[in-house]
């Protein structure tokens, strides 16, 4: 079936309807805990989930994704399709119509010029945009009137729902960010910490890596929403403490990413003050292999850049050996229980896009040792392999979290067993995922040999997600370390597949291309070593209503519909 046919039959889904409440702000205050504290409220300057999700309370796109993965209108009147004329029959353009009368939170009109500006902001050649893949393939954006946004694609675009759709691609106010283009983007502290938006809440105070204080947006398009007059998004602590704050003490109403082991989940569930919500989507815990040299002996500006290939991990035999030594089922049992599944795929869902790549699921220590032998790494007197006078020693970093530290300890043990020396490092999650170009400890900067984290993609189509591994998306000084290609993988053949998928309408062929790209990144090259297909696990107070877990958009996607259960 062709995607064009699917678009012909697409229908605009209606928004989730919460229980009725009297008026905006009638339910007082709500407390939300994102233990990985937000560092910025501009999602274009961070690919950290905690930044993107918190910002989604303030900034919105033309559309988003509901809990079923369907595209739903937000600032747009409806979702354009081929059937309703919004998507060109040849798939070379999509035309969005803004709802009339939309206002920014400062009371000024929202216009199509804001959307065009946002595209220019993210694609500026002198800047660094953490969400550049969302705008891949756009040739131009036209604004024939204040309410019309016409996106022109360089080639037929079977999946036109990328730019301005989902939490990673919201619209910025052109007037507020006018002086923040290019290299100036990261210097606009006032704008990045207090964006003017169209979402249900506005920022009243932002303490970076700590607390976001919010109030109901007086100009939100639905006069009865949000039910809560104020919201606090608190950061800091750890996943276990976050879960306890909802499930046991009742201090918070919602806790995101309660990444705790199965025993703790079971123990807390009996507290009676909250419940865990769990759902599988596309969130994959993985190890990324640095294809460049992060050595501190290199000059600043050259470390972890394509100027210097990695002296150890450039050999696929080493990368493959590291993957073979891992027992993924043990990781699931220790860290996630029923909320995790072992995986070899970067794209585990939807099912039609998931490769049948299962070769990594069985641990193979002898095979790993044989590969290192073949690569010339000989076990030394201390048990650590050596080659040409150099030790097979790796720095393995991740964010601070008990489950991740358990994983580090287990994987270090397995790697030690095959003769690999391992130094462990964990970094506060607010810093690790913060995207600060001046910090040496961000996951984009990647001043380590291997690093572990998880992320996922908006919606149900992996095209923009896979596009992140194109050669021109590599982080470096030239783009303020905001590139999305974290491991610095670069293969022109891969780039060609991304472009081919972008222009392919037939769903079977799109799935075939996605699987091929997934396999190129995983089993064919081992630059990405998937570990666990993680379910989203968050804690919700029994007094908080309207919450619908969404694994295809941000978890705060319908915060405007939340209410207090009386």
């Amino acid at each position: 079936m062709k995607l064009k046919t699917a678009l012909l039959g697409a229908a605009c889904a209606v928004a989730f309807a919460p229980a009725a409440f009297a008026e905006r702000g009638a339910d007082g205050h709500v407390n939300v805990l994102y233990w990985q504290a937000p560092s910025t409220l501009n999602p274009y300057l961070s690919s950290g989930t905690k930044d993107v999700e918190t910002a989604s309370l303030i900034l919105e796109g033309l559309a988003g994704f509901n809990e079923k993965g369907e595209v739903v209108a937000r600032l747009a009147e409806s979702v354009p399709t081929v059937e309703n004329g919004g998507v060109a029959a040849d798939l070379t353009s999509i035309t969005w119509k803004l709802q009339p009368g939309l206002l920014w939170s400062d009371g000024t009109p929202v216009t199509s010029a804001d959307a065009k500006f946002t595209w220019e902001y993210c694609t500026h050649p002198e800047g660094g945009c953490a969400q550049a893949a969302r705008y891949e393939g756009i040739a131009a954006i036209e604004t024939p009137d204040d309410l019309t946004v016409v996106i022109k694609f360089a080639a037929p675009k079977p999946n036109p729902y990328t730019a301005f759709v989902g939490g990673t691609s919201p619209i910025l106010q052109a007037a507020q960010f006018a002086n923040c283009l290019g290299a100036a983007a990261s210097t606009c502290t006032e704008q990045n910490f207090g964006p003017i938006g169209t979402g249900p809440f506005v920022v009243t105070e932002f303490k970076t890596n700590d607390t976001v204080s919010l109030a109901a947006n007086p100009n939100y398009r639905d006069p009865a929403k949000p039910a809560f007059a104020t919201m606090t998004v608190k950061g800091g602590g750890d996943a276990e403490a976050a879960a306890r704050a909802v499930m046991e003490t009742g201090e918070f109403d919602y806790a995101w990413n309660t990444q705790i082991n199965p025993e703790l989940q079971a123990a807390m569930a009996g507290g009676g003050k909250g419940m865990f919500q769990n759902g599988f989507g596309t969130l994959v815990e993985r190890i990324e292999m640095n294809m460049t040299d992060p050595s501190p002996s290199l000059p600043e500006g050259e470390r972890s850049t394509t100027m210097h290939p990695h002296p150890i991990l450039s050999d696929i035999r080493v990368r493959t050996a590291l993957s073979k030594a891992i027992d993924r089922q043990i990781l699931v049992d220790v860290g996630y229980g029923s909320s995790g599944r072992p995986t070899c795929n970067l794209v585990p869902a939807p099912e039609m896009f998931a490769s049948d790549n299962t070769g990594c699921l069985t641990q193979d220590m002898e095979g790993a040792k044989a590969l290192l032998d073949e690569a010339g790494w000989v076990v030394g007197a201390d048990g650590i392999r050596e080659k040409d006078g150099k030790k097979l020693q790796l720095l393995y970093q991740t964010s601070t979290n008990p489950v991740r530290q358990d994983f580090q300890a287990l994987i270090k043990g397995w790697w030690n067993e095959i003769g690999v020396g391992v130094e462990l490092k964990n970094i506060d999650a607010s810093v690790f995922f913060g995207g600060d170009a001046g910090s040496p400890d961000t996951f984009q900067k990647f001043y380590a040999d291997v690093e572990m984290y998880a992320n996922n993609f908006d919606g149900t189509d992996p095209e923009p997600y896979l596009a992140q591994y194109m050669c021109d998306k590599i982080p470096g000084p030239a783009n303020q370390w905001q590139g999305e290609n974290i491991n610095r993988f670069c293969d022109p053949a891969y780039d060609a597949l991304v472009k081919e998928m972008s222009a392919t309408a037939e769903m079977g062929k799109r799935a075939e291309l996605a699987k091929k790209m997934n396999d190129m990144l995983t089993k064919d090259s081992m630059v990405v070593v998937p570990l666990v297909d993680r379910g989203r696990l968050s804690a919700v107070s029994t007094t908080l209503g309207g919450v619908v877990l969404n694994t295809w958009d941000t978890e705060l996607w319908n915060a405007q519909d939340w209410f207090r259960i009386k």
Side-chain angles (χ1 to χ4, degrees):
M1 185 180 84
K2 293 185 180 295
L3 184 61
K4 180 177 177 180
T5 305
L7 287 170
L8 281 166
C12 178
V14 297
F16 174 79
F21 46 83
E23 59 184 9
R24 176 181 292 155
D27 284 351
H29 187 75
V30 61
N31 284 311
V32 174
L33 190 53
Y34 268 59
W35 59 271
Q36 294 179 9
S39 305
T40 180
L41 296 176
N42 181 353
Y44 292 108
L45 296 185
S46 173
S47 49
T49 304
K50 42 92 175 182
D51 298 320
V52 171
E53 299 222 347
T54 308
S56 73
L57 294 164
I58 306 144
L59 298 170
E60 300 176 294
L62 295 169
F65 301 94
N66 67 13
E67 76 278 15
K68 298 176 183 177
E70 300 165 332
V71 183
V72 292
R74 287 195 181 277
L75 299 181
E77 283 189 318
S78 61
V79 177
T81 64
V82 172
E83 183 181 48
N84 64 28
V87 175
D90 63 1
L91 308 180
T92 58
S93 69
I94 183 171
T95 300
W96 294 90
K97 290 286 189 178
L98 287 165
Q99 295 181 40
L102 290 174
L103 297 176
W104 292 103
S105 58
D106 65 356
T108 59
V110 178
T111 73
S112 56
D114 295 303
K116 183 175 182 179
F117 170 83
T118 302
W119 167 63
E120 293 169 346
Y121 174 92
C122 186
T123 58
H124 195 287
E126 296 175 10
C129 181
Q131 313 299 343
R134 305 296 298 178
Y135 297 93
E136 189 72 29
I138 295 177
I141 291 184
E142 298 175 356
T143 54
D145 58 57
D146 284 350
L147 299 181
T148 305
V149 180
V150 183
I151 302 175
K152 300 279 190 177
F153 300 112
K157 186 81 167 175
N159 174 28
Y161 308 119
T162 54
F164 314 125
V165 181
T168 56
S169 186
I171 293 176
L172 301 177
Q173 188 192 59
Q176 185 186 27
F177 283 85
N179 297 321
C180 303
L181 289 168
S186 63
T187 68
C188 291
T189 303
E190 181 179 346
Q191 293 88 337
N192 297 330
F193 287 5
I196 294 166
T198 58
F201 293 94
V202 298
V203 184
T204 57
E205 184 180 23
F206 178 41
K207 297 177 181 177
T208 184
N209 295 331
D210 184 8
T211 307
V212 187
S213 299
L214 303 133
N217 178 358
N219 290 305
Y220 188 61
R221 56 189 173 276
D222 187 329
K225 299 179 182 180
F228 290 105
T230 54
M231 175 187 286
T232 297
V233 179
K234 176 65 178 171
D238 56 46
E240 180 180 340
R244 291 191 189 283
V246 173
M247 303 294 290
E248 295 181 349
T249 69
E251 298 170 76
F252 283 82
D253 298 295
Y254 189 90
W256 164 83
N257 190 24
T258 47
Q259 190 180 357
I260 57 176
N261 66 47
E263 291 76 17
L264 279 173
Q265 292 175 35
M268 290 185 193
K273 294 184 181 295
M275 63 193 77
F276 286 114
Q277 289 194 342
N278 182 39
F280 283 95
T282 60
L283 185 65
V284 172
E285 190 81 15
R286 90 289 294 269
I287 289 174
E288 299 263 345
M289 303 280 182
N290 196 341
M291 300 302 291
T292 59
D293 190 351
S295 173
S297 65
L298 293 171
E300 192 63 29
E302 294 187 20
R303 293 179 68 185
S304 287
T305 69
T306 53
M307 296 175 66
H308 303 281
H310 199 286
I312 297 172
L313 296 176
S314 293
D315 189 336
I316 188 173
R317 293 171 295 187
V318 176
R319 302 194 300 271
T320 304
L322 295 172
S323 177
K324 282 181 175 291
I326 297 171
D327 189 326
R328 289 160 174 80
Q329 187 59 57
I330 287 180
L331 296 180
V332 169
D333 294 343
V334 167
Y336 296 99
S338 62
S339 61
R341 302 183 287 216
T343 187
C344 304
N345 286 326
L346 178 64
V347 178
E351 185 178 356
M352 72 173 299
F353 292 109
S355 169
D356 60 359
N357 174 20
T358 58
C360 78
L361 297 183
T362 301
Q363 185 184 44
D364 183 6
M365 300 299 280
E366 294 309 311
K369 292 174 184 177
L371 278 172
L372 295 178
D373 290 340
E374 180 186 320
W377 291 96
V378 179
V379 179
D382 59 357
I384 304 302
R385 293 176 182 263
E386 302 174 357
K387 180 180 179 181
D388 300 329
K390 182 178 182 63
K391 291 280 190 182
L392 181 43
Q393 182 77 30
L394 301 175
L395 175 59
Y396 172 12
Q397 71 178 19
T398 188
S399 64
T400 304
N401 172 274
V403 171
R404 287 197 168 127
Q405 273 66 80
D406 286 345
F407 277 27
Q408 281 186 304
L410 286 166
I411 292 170
K412 177 181 179 178
W414 292 322
W415 287 354
N416 286 167
E417 191 175 335
I418 62 172
V420 179
V422 183
E423 178 187 350
L424 300 180
K425 179 179 181 180
N426 65 80
I427 302 162
D428 181 88
S430 300
V431 175
F432 188 63
F433 296 114
D436 180 0
S439 171
D441 289 325
T442 65
F443 79 116
Q444 298 101 325
K445 191 75 71 81
F446 206 167
Y447 282 178
D449 301 298
V450 298
E451 65 183 9
M452 180 173 67
Y453 62 92
N455 67 9
N456 61 294
F457 56 89
D458 289 344
T460 57
D461 193 295
E463 181 193 321
Y465 188 59
L466 291 166
Q468 293 177 0
Y469 288 90
M470 297 177 74
C471 296
D472 65 355
K473 305 294 191 298
I474 293 174
N479 60 14
Q480 302 178 60
W481 300 96
Q482 288 296 341
E484 304 142 292
N485 184 349
I486 303 302
N487 60 43
R488 287 64 163 152
F489 168 82
C490 181
D491 185 342
Y494 183 91
D495 286 13
L497 290 176
V498 173
K499 295 183 185 304
E500 183 180 354
M501 185 177 182
S502 178
T504 298
E506 204 276 312
M507 289 298 288
K509 181 63 175 176
R510 287 178 67 78
E512 178 186 323
L513 291 167
K515 292 173 184 177
K516 189 170 183 178
M517 284 184 275
N518 173 90
D519 291 352
M520 287 179 73
L521 294 168
T522 57
K523 69 178 182 180
D524 295 344
S525 69
M526 292 294 176
V527 294
V528 180
V529 176
L531 303 173
V532 180
D533 175 9
R534 284 176 47 191
R536 294 278 192 107
L537 185 71
S538 294
V540 184
S541 169
T542 54
T543 69
L544 182 61
V547 177
V548 177
L549 184 66
N550 188 341
T551 63
W552 309 110
D553 205 319
T554 84
E555 290 193 22
L556 303 176
W557 74 290
N558 77 325
Q560 68 277 3
D561 297 326
W562 292 3
F563 60 94
R564 184 68 65 197
I565 297 173
K566 302 298 193 294

